[in-house]
Amino acid sequence: MTNGDPALTPSNGERRAAAREKARQLREAHRKKERRRRAAVRSTIIAVVIAAAAVVAVVIVSSIHAPSPGPANMASDGILIGKDMKAQHTAATDPDAKPVANKLDSSGKTVTIVTYVDYLCPYCGEFERTNADQIGKLVDSGAATIEIHPIPLLASHSNGTKYSLRADNAAACVANYDPNSFWAFNRELFDHQPQENTAGLTDQQIKQLVKDAGVKTYDSVSKCIDDGRYESWAQTALDRTLAGPIPNSTVKQLKGTPLVLVNGKQYQGSLTDADEFRAFIVKAQADTYSDSKSTGTATPTPTPTATN
């Protein structure tokens, strides 16, 4: 027995149709929800790709060293120090200027020593600490000159602090503002050299070495260090040495540090034997004098010896 008007009671067919419509609506709602989910996933993927591309772009741009002005007194990418430990003065270089190599003394009168060093390189430290005293005495007396090229070859070997690059920048700052203190500051950096693959010295510690070296323009050098003013220049100077050739020598390109040249000839002896390096200096000078004598340009001078 049914209640109500039979005409108002849904038939089986109507119920089935209603169920099918409800199922259709649920499927459509599910499809819309799935489309929204997929769109959200695609948007997320696109955002991630764009972010990754931006990071790659930043890395690429960062790896390209935009030209920047170089420091004064380093027109050759190095600083030349001579008699009485006085540095040769040169104007600051323009961003696109090429380095100007210093001329060798072809007469054999003065020994020309050139070093390419990294302030984090342990081998550079060994050579410097072994030979700094005798090189300093030769240069101070006028028997030799020393041209120092600081290069940040190991900038990635200091736990992300880029110590080599920061130390090079500081050296360039000293060269720019108080070049006659460069030799003393160079020695301080090697006397307090940190170990490779450590964070190295902080900028504040480097500034203390600037004071210890007796730099007279501390405030200017300190600000220069804070600004990282010559970091881009130091990177560009490194690129030039890696590309080569090395001026006034037969060395095609820098392959490691230290690179030590005496009258254009590469020293490849012991880094911890001062006597061996002294003998190399004497031979290099004798060879230069012999060559100049054969061409009629020789000027007889005493062989340089380091005094005690």
Side-chain angles (χ1 to χ4, degrees):
M1 179 178 177
T2 59
N3 295 323
D5 187 349
L8 299 177
T9 302
S11 66
N12 290 337
E14 289 173 332
R15 285 195 292 272
R16 287 194 294 273
R20 286 195 297 272
E21 177 62 20
K22 183 65 175 177
R24 186 192 67 76
Q25 291 175 356
L26 289 173
R27 288 194 299 272
E28 182 63 24
H30 177 74
R31 282 195 292 269
K32 289 180 179 179
K33 183 178 179 180
E34 183 64 16
R35 284 196 294 269
R36 288 195 296 270
R37 185 189 69 80
R38 290 177 179 175
V41 170
R42 284 195 298 270
S43 297
T44 300
I45 292 173
I46 291 171
V48 170
V49 170
I50 291 174
V55 170
V56 171
V58 169
V59 171
I60 292 174
V61 170
S62 299
S63 66
I64 300 173
H65 314 308
S68 66
N73 311 311
M74 298 188 80
S76 67
D77 281 350
I79 184 167
L80 180 64
I81 302 170
K83 185 175 173 59
D84 299 325
M85 308 313 292
K86 302 295 184 182
Q88 174 180 278
H89 287 221
T90 60
T93 55
D94 293 330
D96 57 350
K98 294 182 179 180
V100 180
N102 290 303
K103 293 182 179 180
L104 294 179
D105 181 352
S106 60
S107 70
K109 182 177 181 180
T110 304
V111 175
T112 303
I113 304 171
V114 180
T115 62
Y116 290 77
V117 295
D118 184 305
Y119 290 118
L120 190 60
C121 163
Y123 304 113
C124 299
E126 289 180 352
F127 175 81
E128 292 287 334
R129 288 186 291 272
T130 299
N131 294 288
D133 283 344
Q134 67 173 337
I135 291 175
K137 290 172 182 177
L138 290 171
V139 173
D140 192 38
S141 70
T145 61
I146 176 74
E147 183 178 337
I148 303 171
H149 291 251
I151 51 173
L153 187 64
L154 300 180
S156 62
H157 291 228
S158 52
N159 295 343
T161 72
K162 296 184 178 179
Y163 172 71
S164 291
L165 183 60
R166 292 186 293 109
D168 274 23
N169 174 69
C173 292
V174 171
N176 186 80
Y177 287 106
D178 190 3
N180 291 338
S181 294
F182 188 93
W183 173 256
F185 180 60
N186 181 75
R187 292 203 63 173
E188 288 289 341
L189 285 172
F190 280 117
D191 286 345
H192 298 85
Q193 184 182 46
Q195 292 185 347
E196 189 177 354
N197 295 315
T198 66
L201 305 180
T202 65
D203 284 353
Q204 197 58 43
Q205 289 172 318
I206 293 174
K207 290 179 185 180
Q208 183 58 51
L209 298 185
V210 172
K211 287 184 177 180
D212 294 344
V215 175
K216 300 178 181 63
T217 53
Y218 174 78
D219 290 344
S220 296
V221 171
S222 177
K223 186 177 187 307
C224 181
I225 291 173
D226 289 338
D227 294 343
R229 188 174 307 166
Y230 297 117
E231 288 185 2
S232 179
W233 168 84
Q235 289 278 15
T236 303
L238 170 61
D239 292 343
R240 283 193 279 258
T241 62
L242 293 175
I246 303 301
N248 296 323
S249 77
T250 59
V251 180
K252 293 182 179 179
Q253 61 188 146
L254 181 77
K255 294 184 178 180
T257 52
L259 172 60
V260 181
L261 304 170
V262 179
N263 286 3
K265 296 184 177 181
Q266 184 177 2
Y267 175 66
Q268 295 178 303
S270 171
L271 301 176
T272 57
D273 188 334
D275 291 337
E276 184 174 355
F277 183 61
R278 184 185 298 115
F280 185 80
I281 292 175
V282 171
K283 184 178 187 307
Q285 189 197 28
D287 289 346
T288 302
Y289 175 71
S290 177
D291 291 343
S292 63
K293 186 176 180 180
S294 66
T295 59
T297 60
T299 302
T301 56
T303 299
T305 56
T307 57
N308 295 322

mmCIF file of all heavy atoms in Angstrom, residues 142-174:
data_model
loop_
_atom_site.group_PDB
_atom_site.id
_atom_site.type_symbol
_atom_site.label_atom_id
_atom_site.label_comp_id
_atom_site.label_asym_id
_atom_site.label_seq_id
_atom_site.Cartn_x
_atom_site.Cartn_y
_atom_site.Cartn_z
ATOM 1 N N GLY A 142 119.950 47.294 -3.217
ATOM 2 C CA GLY A 142 119.954 47.687 -4.619
ATOM 3 C C GLY A 142 120.518 46.632 -5.547
ATOM 4 O O GLY A 142 120.577 46.826 -6.758
ATOM 5 N N ALA A 143 120.936 45.468 -4.980
ATOM 6 C CA ALA A 143 121.471 44.399 -5.821
ATOM 7 C C ALA A 143 120.379 43.651 -6.569
ATOM 8 O O ALA A 143 120.649 42.933 -7.533
ATOM 9 C CB ALA A 143 122.275 43.418 -4.959
ATOM 10 N N ALA A 144 119.123 43.801 -6.115
ATOM 11 C CA ALA A 144 118.007 43.082 -6.742
ATOM 12 C C ALA A 144 116.743 43.912 -6.622
ATOM 13 O O ALA A 144 116.659 44.877 -5.837
ATOM 14 C CB ALA A 144 117.816 41.715 -6.075
ATOM 15 N N THR A 145 115.758 43.548 -7.429
ATOM 16 C CA THR A 145 114.394 44.060 -7.267
ATOM 17 C C THR A 145 113.484 42.858 -7.066
ATOM 18 O O THR A 145 113.802 41.744 -7.489
ATOM 19 C CB THR A 145 113.925 44.858 -8.492
ATOM 20 O OG1 THR A 145 113.923 43.999 -9.653
ATOM 21 C CG2 THR A 145 114.816 46.062 -8.742
ATOM 22 N N ILE A 146 112.366 43.083 -6.423
ATOM 23 C CA ILE A 146 111.373 42.020 -6.242
ATOM 24 C C ILE A 146 110.031 42.545 -6.755
ATOM 25 O O ILE A 146 109.608 43.651 -6.401
ATOM 26 C CB ILE A 146 111.260 41.579 -4.767
ATOM 27 C CG1 ILE A 146 110.152 40.528 -4.589
ATOM 28 C CG2 ILE A 146 111.023 42.764 -3.842
ATOM 29 C CD1 ILE A 146 110.473 39.176 -5.099
ATOM 30 N N GLU A 147 109.419 41.791 -7.630
ATOM 31 C CA GLU A 147 108.085 42.137 -8.148
ATOM 32 C C GLU A 147 107.125 41.048 -7.679
ATOM 33 O O GLU A 147 107.270 39.883 -8.053
ATOM 34 C CB GLU A 147 108.099 42.226 -9.670
ATOM 35 C CG GLU A 147 106.764 42.652 -10.255
ATOM 36 C CD GLU A 147 106.815 42.780 -11.770
ATOM 37 O OE1 GLU A 147 107.928 42.972 -12.315
ATOM 38 O OE2 GLU A 147 105.759 42.677 -12.408
ATOM 39 N N ILE A 148 106.151 41.431 -6.868
ATOM 40 C CA ILE A 148 105.240 40.471 -6.249
ATOM 41 C C ILE A 148 103.873 40.559 -6.916
ATOM 42 O O ILE A 148 103.280 41.641 -7.009
ATOM 43 C CB ILE A 148 105.106 40.734 -4.741
ATOM 44 C CG1 ILE A 148 106.492 40.675 -4.073
ATOM 45 C CG2 ILE A 148 104.168 39.722 -4.087
ATOM 46 C CD1 ILE A 148 106.493 41.141 -2.630
ATOM 47 N N HIS A 149 103.397 39.417 -7.376
ATOM 48 C CA HIS A 149 102.064 39.312 -7.978
ATOM 49 C C HIS A 149 101.178 38.462 -7.063
ATOM 50 O O HIS A 149 101.270 37.228 -7.076
ATOM 51 C CB HIS A 149 102.142 38.648 -9.352
ATOM 52 C CG HIS A 149 102.818 39.459 -10.405
ATOM 53 N ND1 HIS A 149 102.142 40.031 -11.460
ATOM 54 C CD2 HIS A 149 104.120 39.796 -10.572
ATOM 55 C CE1 HIS A 149 102.985 40.683 -12.229
ATOM 56 N NE2 HIS A 149 104.205 40.551 -11.707
ATOM 57 N N PRO A 150 100.315 39.091 -6.258
ATOM 58 C CA PRO A 150 99.384 38.297 -5.454
ATOM 59 C C PRO A 150 98.225 37.817 -6.333
ATOM 60 O O PRO A 150 97.621 38.616 -7.057
ATOM 61 C CB PRO A 150 98.884 39.278 -4.389
ATOM 62 C CG PRO A 150 99.687 40.533 -4.585
ATOM 63 C CD PRO A 150 100.183 40.517 -5.987
ATOM 64 N N ILE A 151 97.925 36.532 -6.292
ATOM 65 C CA ILE A 151 96.836 36.001 -7.108
ATOM 66 C C ILE A 151 95.964 35.060 -6.274
ATOM 67 O O ILE A 151 96.474 34.244 -5.503
ATOM 68 C CB ILE A 151 97.365 35.249 -8.355
ATOM 69 C CG1 ILE A 151 98.414 34.212 -7.953
ATOM 70 C CG2 ILE A 151 97.939 36.226 -9.369
ATOM 71 C CD1 ILE A 151 98.843 33.338 -9.087
ATOM 72 N N PRO A 152 94.627 35.148 -6.404
ATOM 73 C CA PRO A 152 93.711 34.358 -5.567
ATOM 74 C C PRO A 152 93.425 32.973 -6.143
ATOM 75 O O PRO A 152 92.273 32.599 -6.369
ATOM 76 C CB PRO A 152 92.459 35.229 -5.532
ATOM 77 C CG PRO A 152 92.438 35.894 -6.875
ATOM 78 C CD PRO A 152 93.888 36.143 -7.233
ATOM 79 N N LEU A 153 94.472 32.198 -6.365
ATOM 80 C CA LEU A 153 94.301 30.888 -6.991
ATOM 81 C C LEU A 153 93.486 29.944 -6.116
ATOM 82 O O LEU A 153 92.743 29.103 -6.610
ATOM 83 C CB LEU A 153 95.680 30.276 -7.283
ATOM 84 C CG LEU A 153 95.708 28.980 -8.095
ATOM 85 C CD1 LEU A 153 95.172 29.222 -9.501
ATOM 86 C CD2 LEU A 153 97.134 28.428 -8.167
ATOM 87 N N LEU A 154 93.600 30.081 -4.793
ATOM 88 C CA LEU A 154 92.947 29.156 -3.862
ATOM 89 C C LEU A 154 91.743 29.798 -3.173
ATOM 90 O O LEU A 154 91.424 29.465 -2.024
ATOM 91 C CB LEU A 154 93.958 28.674 -2.812
ATOM 92 C CG LEU A 154 95.187 27.939 -3.356
ATOM 93 C CD1 LEU A 154 96.103 27.514 -2.221
ATOM 94 C CD2 LEU A 154 94.777 26.718 -4.173
ATOM 95 N N ALA A 155 91.055 30.683 -3.864
ATOM 96 C CA ALA A 155 89.914 31.381 -3.259
ATOM 97 C C ALA A 155 88.810 30.421 -2.823
ATOM 98 O O ALA A 155 88.032 30.726 -1.912
ATOM 99 C CB ALA A 155 89.346 32.410 -4.230
ATOM 100 N N SER A 156 88.739 29.259 -3.443
ATOM 101 C CA SER A 156 87.687 28.291 -3.095
ATOM 102 C C SER A 156 88.149 27.281 -2.053
ATOM 103 O O SER A 156 87.441 26.323 -1.769
ATOM 104 C CB SER A 156 87.225 27.551 -4.357
ATOM 105 O OG SER A 156 88.309 26.806 -4.921
ATOM 106 N N HIS A 157 89.330 27.494 -1.470
ATOM 107 C CA HIS A 157 89.890 26.530 -0.526
ATOM 108 C C HIS A 157 89.875 27.047 0.912
ATOM 109 O O HIS A 157 90.772 26.749 1.696
ATOM 110 C CB HIS A 157 91.326 26.171 -0.921
ATOM 111 C CG HIS A 157 91.426 25.370 -2.181
ATOM 112 N ND1 HIS A 157 92.187 24.232 -2.290
ATOM 113 C CD2 HIS A 157 90.856 25.537 -3.407
ATOM 114 C CE1 HIS A 157 92.090 23.741 -3.511
ATOM 115 N NE2 HIS A 157 91.293 24.528 -4.209
ATOM 116 N N SER A 158 88.865 27.841 1.253
ATOM 117 C CA SER A 158 88.830 28.400 2.611
ATOM 118 C C SER A 158 87.424 28.346 3.203
ATOM 119 O O SER A 158 86.949 29.305 3.817
ATOM 120 C CB SER A 158 89.347 29.838 2.606
ATOM 121 O OG SER A 158 88.678 30.615 1.627
ATOM 122 N N ASN A 159 86.739 27.230 2.980
ATOM 123 C CA ASN A 159 85.409 27.001 3.584
ATOM 124 C C ASN A 159 84.408 28.109 3.256
ATOM 125 O O ASN A 159 83.590 28.492 4.092
ATOM 126 C CB ASN A 159 85.529 26.838 5.104
ATOM 127 C CG ASN A 159 86.303 25.594 5.496
ATOM 128 O OD1 ASN A 159 86.484 24.685 4.692
ATOM 129 N ND2 ASN A 159 86.760 25.543 6.735
ATOM 130 N N GLY A 160 84.506 28.614 2.039
ATOM 131 C CA GLY A 160 83.521 29.585 1.579
ATOM 132 C C GLY A 160 83.822 31.033 1.916
ATOM 133 O O GLY A 160 83.062 31.921 1.518
ATOM 134 N N THR A 161 84.932 31.313 2.616
ATOM 135 C CA THR A 161 85.222 32.705 3.002
ATOM 136 C C THR A 161 86.035 33.457 1.955
ATOM 137 O O THR A 161 86.250 34.659 2.096
ATOM 138 C CB THR A 161 85.992 32.768 4.334
ATOM 139 O OG1 THR A 161 87.349 32.317 4.126
ATOM 140 C CG2 THR A 161 85.316 31.919 5.402
ATOM 141 N N LYS A 162 86.531 32.744 0.933
ATOM 142 C CA LYS A 162 87.339 33.358 -0.131
ATOM 143 C C LYS A 162 88.533 34.114 0.459
ATOM 144 O O LYS A 162 88.817 35.257 0.082
ATOM 145 C CB LYS A 162 86.484 34.282 -0.997
ATOM 146 C CG LYS A 162 85.381 33.559 -1.757
ATOM 147 C CD LYS A 162 84.628 34.494 -2.681
ATOM 148 C CE LYS A 162 83.554 33.746 -3.465
ATOM 149 N NZ LYS A 162 82.795 34.636 -4.355
ATOM 150 N N TYR A 163 89.241 33.456 1.366
ATOM 151 C CA TYR A 163 90.339 34.139 2.050
ATOM 152 C C TYR A 163 91.397 34.660 1.074
ATOM 153 O O TYR A 163 91.866 35.794 1.207
ATOM 154 C CB TYR A 163 90.996 33.217 3.075
ATOM 155 C CG TYR A 163 92.248 33.836 3.651
ATOM 156 C CD1 TYR A 163 92.166 34.908 4.524
ATOM 157 C CD2 TYR A 163 93.520 33.397 3.275
ATOM 158 C CE1 TYR A 163 93.304 35.517 5.031
ATOM 159 C CE2 TYR A 163 94.666 33.995 3.766
ATOM 160 C CZ TYR A 163 94.553 35.056 4.646
ATOM 161 O OH TYR A 163 95.684 35.662 5.125
ATOM 162 N N SER A 164 91.790 33.828 0.105
ATOM 163 C CA SER A 164 92.824 34.260 -0.844
ATOM 164 C C SER A 164 92.424 35.552 -1.538
ATOM 165 O O SER A 164 93.243 36.459 -1.721
ATOM 166 C CB SER A 164 93.075 33.179 -1.897
ATOM 167 O OG SER A 164 93.690 32.060 -1.332
ATOM 168 N N LEU A 165 91.164 35.629 -1.932
ATOM 169 C CA LEU A 165 90.682 36.817 -2.638
ATOM 170 C C LEU A 165 90.663 38.021 -1.700
ATOM 171 O O LEU A 165 91.066 39.126 -2.082
ATOM 172 C CB LEU A 165 89.280 36.556 -3.195
ATOM 173 C CG LEU A 165 88.652 37.674 -4.025
ATOM 174 C CD1 LEU A 165 89.507 37.983 -5.238
ATOM 175 C CD2 LEU A 165 87.237 37.286 -4.461
ATOM 176 N N ARG A 166 90.239 37.821 -0.454
ATOM 177 C CA ARG A 166 90.196 38.932 0.497
ATOM 178 C C ARG A 166 91.605 39.418 0.849
ATOM 179 O O ARG A 166 91.838 40.621 0.997
ATOM 180 C CB ARG A 166 89.431 38.518 1.758
ATOM 181 C CG ARG A 166 87.941 38.285 1.513
ATOM 182 C CD ARG A 166 87.177 38.019 2.795
ATOM 183 N NE ARG A 166 87.552 36.765 3.416
ATOM 184 C CZ ARG A 166 88.242 36.644 4.534
ATOM 185 N NH1 ARG A 166 88.674 37.734 5.172
ATOM 186 N NH2 ARG A 166 88.524 35.457 5.057
ATOM 187 N N ALA A 167 92.530 38.464 0.994
ATOM 188 C CA ALA A 167 93.913 38.841 1.294
ATOM 189 C C ALA A 167 94.528 39.594 0.119
ATOM 190 O O ALA A 167 95.261 40.580 0.308
ATOM 191 C CB ALA A 167 94.733 37.595 1.620
ATOM 192 N N ASP A 168 94.239 39.147 -1.106
ATOM 193 C CA ASP A 168 94.746 39.847 -2.295
ATOM 194 C C ASP A 168 94.186 41.261 -2.366
ATOM 195 O O ASP A 168 94.895 42.208 -2.714
ATOM 196 C CB ASP A 168 94.353 39.079 -3.555
ATOM 197 C CG ASP A 168 95.345 37.989 -3.887
ATOM 198 O OD1 ASP A 168 96.048 37.543 -2.965
ATOM 199 O OD2 ASP A 168 95.408 37.588 -5.056
ATOM 200 N N ASN A 169 92.898 41.381 -2.065
ATOM 201 C CA ASN A 169 92.288 42.707 -2.070
ATOM 202 C C ASN A 169 92.980 43.610 -1.062
ATOM 203 O O ASN A 169 93.295 44.777 -1.366
ATOM 204 C CB ASN A 169 90.804 42.585 -1.726
ATOM 205 C CG ASN A 169 90.133 43.939 -1.581
ATOM 206 O OD1 ASN A 169 89.953 44.668 -2.550
ATOM 207 N ND2 ASN A 169 89.771 44.294 -0.347
ATOM 208 N N ALA A 170 93.263 43.089 0.118
ATOM 209 C CA ALA A 170 93.941 43.884 1.144
ATOM 210 C C ALA A 170 95.336 44.298 0.676
ATOM 211 O O ALA A 170 95.763 45.440 0.893
ATOM 212 C CB ALA A 170 94.031 43.093 2.452
ATOM 213 N N ALA A 171 96.044 43.367 0.035
ATOM 214 C CA ALA A 171 97.377 43.685 -0.475
ATOM 215 C C ALA A 171 97.300 44.790 -1.526
ATOM 216 O O ALA A 171 98.140 45.711 -1.546
ATOM 217 C CB ALA A 171 98.029 42.430 -1.068
ATOM 218 N N ALA A 172 96.298 44.716 -2.396
ATOM 219 C CA ALA A 172 96.123 45.751 -3.419
ATOM 220 C C ALA A 172 95.776 47.092 -2.769
ATOM 221 O O ALA A 172 96.221 48.149 -3.242
ATOM 222 C CB ALA A 172 95.037 45.341 -4.405
ATOM 223 N N CYS A 173 95.005 47.056 -1.695
ATOM 224 C CA CYS A 173 94.664 48.287 -0.973
ATOM 225 C C CYS A 173 95.928 48.935 -0.407
ATOM 226 O O CYS A 173 96.113 50.155 -0.487
ATOM 227 C CB CYS A 173 93.679 47.994 0.150
ATOM 228 S SG CYS A 173 92.024 47.491 -0.394
ATOM 229 N N VAL A 174 96.809 48.113 0.181
ATOM 230 C CA VAL A 174 98.068 48.639 0.716
ATOM 231 C C VAL A 174 98.918 49.195 -0.415
ATOM 232 O O VAL A 174 99.509 50.278 -0.296
ATOM 233 C CB VAL A 174 98.828 47.547 1.494
ATOM 234 C CG1 VAL A 174 100.227 48.027 1.871
ATOM 235 C CG2 VAL A 174 98.060 47.144 2.746
#
